[in-house]
C-alpha cells in the first residue's frame, strides 16, 4: 500500500476549529498566546487568523496592555459574534419558543406560541416557520445572515437524520422535523433532544468552560438528564439520552409517557406533583393550603404551581419532601456512579423559591461532599428557552467545522 500522506486540508480545518474553540472559551487573545495554548507555530496561527479576519469571522480588539518593550506589539483577536445569527426553536409540551440570536448567546428577538398537539406535525411546523420568518423580518435579519436553525425537542431524536422519534407529550410518531423546516426556512436545520441541546449550551456558554465532567439534571414538566465526559456529551448511538427520568422507582407503578410503568417521571413531574397534592389536600392534612384555596381543589394546577408548591403548610412541605426524595435518590446514585466534577440543576421546578436549596441540602445530608460546591444551579437558566437550539448550531456549523465554507 502506498503512502497517502497527511490530508493537509483536514489539518487546516482542525487547527481553525481549535482556534475558534479556544477564543470562545478564553476570550480575546494575541496570536502568540493562541500558538502557545494550542502548540501550533506562530506562522500557522497568523495565516489562519488572517484568513478568518478577512472573512469577518474574527475581529481585532486592540493591543494588549503591557509594559512598553521592544518587538512586535501584541494585538488581541476575538470571534466576531455578530458575523452570523442563529434561529433557535424550542418545542416543549407547555409552549414553543422561537428566537433569533447572535453567536455570543444574546437574543435579538423572541416569540412564544402554543404547542398545538391537535394539529398534524407538518401543520404545526408550518406555524413555527411562519413565526420564525416574521421574527427574522422584525429583527432585520435576512436569510443570508442566518448560520442555521437549531431545534430542541423532548424525547429520542436522530440528530443525523433530523428526526424526532417520539416527542413525549407532543407527537407519538416519528416526525422528520429537520426536513420539513429545511424546506420551509431554506436554511440548514439541526434537531436535537432538548436536554442534550442544553448540555451543549453548558459546554459552549456555561460550566463547560470550567470543568470537563458534568451531570445535568432538568426538573419541570418531566425529568431529563445528560452526561458530559471529557467535554463530550454521552451518546448511546441509539437516539436515546441518559434519561434518569425513566429510571424505575415503583414496581408496577403508573404508566409513563415512554410506555413503561413506574418511571421516576410518574412520581415527580409537575403534573404528577399537582395530582398528588390535589389528592392529599384536605382540611386535616393541609389546613393552611386548603383554606387559602377555599377548599376548591381545582385551583391546584400545573399552570399555577409556583403559587402553591412553596406554600408554608407543614403537610404540603412533608409531601413535597417525600416526592423530592424519589428524585434525590436517583441523582445521588448517579453522582456516586459517575463522580462528576459538577452537577448542574435547571428547569422551572428547581427555580421555585427555596426548592433548589432544599434539594442540595438533602443531597448533602446523604454525603457532605454533595454540597453547593458540587451541585449548582445553571447560570444559563434564564436563557433556557433558546440556548440549546443556538448551541447545537454554534457547535456543529461554526466551532467544529471551523466555518470552512466561508474561508475558501
Amino acid at each position: 500500500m502506498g503512502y497517502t500522506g497527511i490530508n493537509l486540508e483536514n489539518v487546516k480545518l482542525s487547527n481553525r476549529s481549535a482556534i475558534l474553540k479556544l477564543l470562545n472559551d478564553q476570550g480575546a487573545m494575541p496570536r502568540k498566546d493562541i500558538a502557545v495554548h494550542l502548540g501550533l507555530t506562530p506562522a500557522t496561527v497568523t495565516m489562519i487568523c488572517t484568513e478568518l479576519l478577512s472573512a469577518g469571522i474574527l475581529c481585532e480588539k486592540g493591543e494588549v496592555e503591557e509594559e512598553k518593550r521592544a518587538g512586535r506589539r501584541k494585538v488581541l483577536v476575538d470571534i466576531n459574534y455578530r458575523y452570523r445569527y442563529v434561529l433557535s426553536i424550542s418545542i416543549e409540551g407547555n409552549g414553543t419558543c422561537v428566537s433569533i440570536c447572535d453567536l455570543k448567546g444574546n437574543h435579538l428577538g423572541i416569540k412564544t406560541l402554543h404547542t398545538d398537539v391537535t394539529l398534524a406535525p407538518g401543520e404545526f411546523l408550518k406555524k413555527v416557520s411562519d413565526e420564525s420568518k416574521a421574527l427574522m423580518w422584525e429583527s432585520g435579519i435576512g436569510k443570508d445572515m442566518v448560520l442555521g436553525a437549531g431545534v430542541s425537542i423532548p424525547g429520542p431524536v436522530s440528530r443525523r437524520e433530523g428526526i424526532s422519534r417520539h416527542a413525549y407529550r407532543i407527537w407519538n410518531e416519528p416526525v422528520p422535523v429537520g426536513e420539513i423546516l429545511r424546506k420551509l426556512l431554506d436554511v440548514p436545520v439541526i434537531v436535537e433532544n432538548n436536554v442534550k441541546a442544553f448540555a451543549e449550551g453548558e459546554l459552549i456558554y456555561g460550566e463547560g468552560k470550567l470543568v470537563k465532567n458534568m451531570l445535568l439534571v432538568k426538573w419541570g414538566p418531566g425529568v431529563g438528564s445528560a452526561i458530559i465526559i471529557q467535554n463530550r456529551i454521552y451518546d448511546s448511538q441509539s437516539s436515546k439520552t441518559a434519561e434518569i427520568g425513566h429510571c424505575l422507582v415503583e414496581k408496577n407503578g403508573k404508566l409513563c409517557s415512554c410506555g413503561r410503568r413506574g418511571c421516576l417521571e410518574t412520581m415527580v413531574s409537575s403534573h404528577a406533583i399537582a395530582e398528588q397534592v390535589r389528592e392529599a389536600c384536605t382540611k386535616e392534612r393541609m389546613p393552611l393550603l386548603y383554606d387559602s384555596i377555599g377548599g376548591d381543589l381545582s385551583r391546584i394546577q400545573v399552570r399555577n404551581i409556583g403559587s402553591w408548591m412553596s406554600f408554608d403548610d407543614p403537610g404540603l412541605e412533608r409531601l413535597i419532601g417525600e416526592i423530592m426524595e424519589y428524585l434525590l435518590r436517583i441523582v445521588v446514585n448517579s453522582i456516586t456512579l459517575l463522580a462528576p466534577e459538577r452537577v448542574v440543576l435547571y428547569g422551572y421546578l428547581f427555580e421555585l423559591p427555596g426548592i433548589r436549596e432544599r434539594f442540595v441540602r438533602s443531597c448533602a445530608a446523604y454525603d457532605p461532599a454533595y454540597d453547593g460546591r458540587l451541585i449548582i444551579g445553571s447560570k444559563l437558566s434564564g436563557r433556557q428557552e433558546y440556548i440549546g437550539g443556538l448551541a447545537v448550531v454554534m457547535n456543529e456549523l461554526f466551532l467544529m467545522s471551523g466555518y470552512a465554507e466561508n474561508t475558501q
Side-chain angles (χ1 to χ4, degrees), residues 123-137:
E123 292 180 54
F124 176 70
L125 292 174
K126 175 63 167 59
K127 290 183 64 176
V128 171
S129 171
D130 291 343
E131 290 288 353
S132 300
K133 291 177 181 177
L135 183 62
M136 290 165 59
W137 183 83

Side-chain angles (χ1 to χ4, degrees), residues 196-216:
K196 288 176 69 176
F198 190 86
E200 285 194 53
E202 286 288 349
L203 283 173
I204 297 172
Y205 300 108
E207 288 298 307
K209 294 184 178 184
L210 304 174
V211 298
K212 294 182 177 180
N213 303 297
M214 292 186 287
L215 170 66
L216 273 71

Side-chain angles (χ1 to χ4, degrees), residues 366-400:
Y366 275 92
D367 188 326
Y370 298 170
D371 60 13
R373 291 167 295 181
L374 173 68
I375 307 173
I376 65 170
S378 173
K379 298 180 180 66
L380 301 178
S381 288
R383 296 190 275 176
Q384 182 179 329
E385 291 180 316
Y386 61 88
I387 203 71
L390 165 64
V392 296
V393 173
M394 176 69 167
N395 193 28
E396 186 164 322
L397 300 183
F398 190 84
L399 297 177
M400 289 179 62

Side-chain angles (χ1 to χ4, degrees), residues 74-93:
K74 287 186 176 181
V75 178
L76 295 168
V77 293
D78 198 2
I79 294 173
N80 175 10
Y81 288 100
R82 288 293 180 106
Y83 174 65
R84 287 291 184 272
Y85 298 88
V86 172
L87 185 64
S88 177
I89 300 169
S90 171
I91 302 175
E92 299 278 352

Side-chain angles (χ1 to χ4, degrees), residues 2-8 10-11:
Y3 177 64
T4 58
I6 298 172
N7 187 322
L8 295 179
N10 285 344
V11 172

Side-chain angles (χ1 to χ4, degrees), residues 13-306:
L13 290 177
S14 177
N15 290 340
R16 185 183 291 138
S17 176
I19 290 172
L20 291 175
K21 288 180 179 179
L22 177 64
L23 291 174
N24 185 71
D25 288 348
Q26 303 289 333
M29 300 176 69
R31 294 166 179 80
K32 185 176 180 180
D33 291 2
I34 294 173
V36 171
H37 269 79
L38 298 178
L40 300 174
T41 65
T44 296
V45 171
T46 296
M47 178 188 68
I48 293 175
C49 286
T50 298
E51 291 178 351
L52 295 174
L53 285 163
S54 298
I57 296 170
L58 295 185
C59 59
E60 292 188 337
K61 292 198 139 181
E63 296 183 33
V64 177
E65 292 185 7
E66 58 182 355
E67 293 183 7
K68 291 184 178 180
R69 60 180 180 81
R72 183 174 296 179
R73 61 196 176 97
K74 287 186 176 181
V75 178
L76 295 168
V77 293
D78 198 2
I79 294 173
N80 175 10
Y81 288 100
R82 288 293 180 106
Y83 174 65
R84 287 291 184 272
Y85 298 88
V86 172
L87 185 64
S88 177
I89 300 169
S90 171
I91 302 175
E92 299 278 352
N94 59 342
T96 293
C97 174
V98 177
S99 60
I100 189 81
C101 314
D102 65 19
L103 302 181
K104 187 72 172 177
N106 305 306
H107 73 79
L108 281 69
I110 191 165
K111 287 179 176 285
T112 57
L113 61 152
H114 171 60
T115 303
D116 193 344
V117 297
T118 65
L119 292 177
E123 292 180 54
F124 176 70
L125 292 174
K126 175 63 167 59
K127 290 183 64 176
V128 171
S129 171
D130 291 343
E131 290 288 353
S132 300
K133 291 177 181 177
L135 183 62
M136 290 165 59
W137 183 83
E138 292 168 8
S139 303
I141 304 298
K143 185 179 64 176
D144 60 327
M145 300 168 67
V146 176
L147 181 62
V151 183
S152 63
I153 192 165
V157 168
S158 173
R159 178 161 170 164
R160 184 186 296 260
E161 299 172 299
I163 295 175
S164 166
R165 297 293 183 192
H166 178 190
Y168 302 139
R169 295 175 294 275
I170 303 173
W171 305 312
N172 293 322
E173 72 275 15
V175 178
V177 176
E179 179 184 348
I180 293 171
L181 286 177
R182 196 175 299 115
K183 290 179 179 177
L184 292 170
L185 295 169
D186 194 23
V187 298
V189 177
I190 300 174
V191 184
E192 184 55 280
N193 165 268
N194 57 351
V195 181
K196 288 176 69 176
F198 190 86
E200 285 194 53
E202 286 288 349
L203 283 173
I204 297 172
Y205 300 108
E207 288 298 307
K209 294 184 178 184
L210 304 174
V211 298
K212 294 182 177 180
N213 303 297
M214 292 186 287
L215 170 66
L216 273 71
V217 179
K218 176 187 179 183
W219 190 20
V223 181
S225 60
I227 300 169
I228 295 175
I229 304 172
Q230 293 297 302
N231 290 124
R232 292 182 177 273
I233 300 170
Y234 171 75
D235 187 352
S236 69
Q237 302 299 321
S238 62
S239 303
K240 293 184 178 180
T241 58
E243 290 281 12
I244 65 171
H246 298 288
C247 289
L248 177 66
V249 295
E250 188 178 33
K251 185 178 180 180
N252 299 322
K254 294 181 180 179
L255 182 66
C256 182
S257 59
C258 72
R260 300 189 296 184
R261 288 188 176 275
C263 292
L264 176 64
E265 268 197 14
T266 65
M267 300 299 295
V268 306
S269 71
S270 54
H271 286 81
I273 293 172
E275 181 180 345
Q276 291 175 74
V277 172
R278 281 194 297 269
E279 291 176 354
C281 186
T282 64
K283 183 74 172 175
E284 294 71 31
R285 294 184 64 184
M286 300 180 189
L288 299 179
L289 178 60
Y290 187 86
D291 288 344
S292 74
I293 60 175
D296 183 2
L297 300 182
S298 67
R299 293 173 61 182
I300 299 175
Q301 299 291 334
V302 172
R303 63 175 181 271
N304 63 351
I305 194 169

